[in-house]
Amino acid sequence: MRLLLDTHTLLWAVDDPAQLGPQAIASLHDLANELLLSAGSIWEVAIKVGVKKLELSMPYRQWMLQAISDLGLTILPISVEYASIQAALPH
């Protein structure tokens, strides 16, 4: 199964796994699942760290590279096509 992690799931999986339920933890560790992360989440974490609204367990770059590696994440790009679909969604 392909699973898209939201930003909170990423943060909790790395720095506070107790916040995740048993099913979420099992899904993250199931090698049959492909774990995906939007480039937007990478950017969101960087912004929050930069404005001091988020503190990570290690410096941002090291933390993010480690998280991507440890979780085996595939990064999804943000394209104009994807953004235009988002812009057209109802409010």
Side-chain angles (χ1 to χ4, degrees):
M1 183 182 325
R2 299 178 82 200
L3 301 175
L4 176 63
L5 278 64
D6 69 2
T7 305
H8 277 99
T9 303
L10 173 67
L11 293 168
W12 292 338
V14 175
D15 279 349
D16 196 4
Q19 293 287 338
L20 299 172
Q23 185 175 358
I25 292 171
S27 295
L28 290 173
H29 290 73
D30 185 342
L31 297 178
N33 291 333
E34 181 183 8
L35 303 181
L36 308 171
L37 184 70
S38 169
S41 290
I42 295 171
W43 193 262
E44 180 183 1
V45 173
I47 290 169
K48 290 184 184 228
V49 168
V51 298
K52 309 288 189 235
K53 288 191 175 188
L54 176 64
E55 188 174 321
L56 301 172
S57 58
M58 59 184 75
Y60 169 79
R61 182 179 174 87
Q62 180 184 355
W63 187 95
M64 188 59 71
L65 292 173
Q66 184 81 38
I68 292 167
S69 175
D70 286 354
L71 294 170
L73 299 172
T74 298
I75 308 304
L76 298 176
I78 298 173
S79 68
V80 172
E81 179 183 355
Y82 299 149
S84 67
I85 293 168
Q86 172 65 40
L89 291 174
H91 294 281

